[in-house]
Amino acid sequence: QVHLVESGGGLVQAGGPLRLSCEASGRFFSSYGMGWFRQAPGKEREFVAAVTWSGSGTSYADSVKGRFTISRDNAKNSVYLYLQMNSLKPEDTAVYYCAGQGPNYEYDYWGQGTQVTVSS
């Protein structure tokens, strides 16, 4: 059974850090890429960061490059995905979603989201 659960969201002041976590259970997540996406009020969901199955390759949206770091830990029964967010800005306020790729290399699996609010 596939299950993704995010945690770590909250309210933070501009300039501060926050770390998001996602536990992805399902036997094939360790073999595929994972990513973080976000959706701000009134806007479409957008890509934030992605990491390859091994963790050796990463990519970032231009808006977060140099401030956010994605990483993963392929444990025995689950994959743990992280997003370290530094120098947060009010425009980073959004619901952040953890997503996992399936055998077709599409982001087919999604968590429920965690709210991040950055106050100015």
Side-chain angles (χ1 to χ4, degrees), residues 2-17:
V2 174
H3 202 51
L4 291 87
V5 180
E6 301 98 335
S7 60
L11 174 65
V12 62
Q13 286 190 335

Side-chain angles (χ1 to χ4, degrees), residues 6-58:
E6 301 98 335
S7 60
L11 174 65
V12 62
Q13 286 190 335
L18 203 62
R19 190 189 196 208
L20 303 184
S21 301
C22 172
E23 181 179 358
S25 57
R27 58 179 180 174
F28 57 78
F29 278 125
S30 60
S31 300
Y32 298 97
M34 298 192 70
W36 288 96
F37 293 75
R38 67 187 182 186
Q39 186 167 20
K43 295 186 177 181
E44 293 188 353
R45 187 162 55 190
E46 64 175 3
F47 167 78
V48 175
V51 62
T52 58
W53 71 271
S54 66
S56 61
T58 58

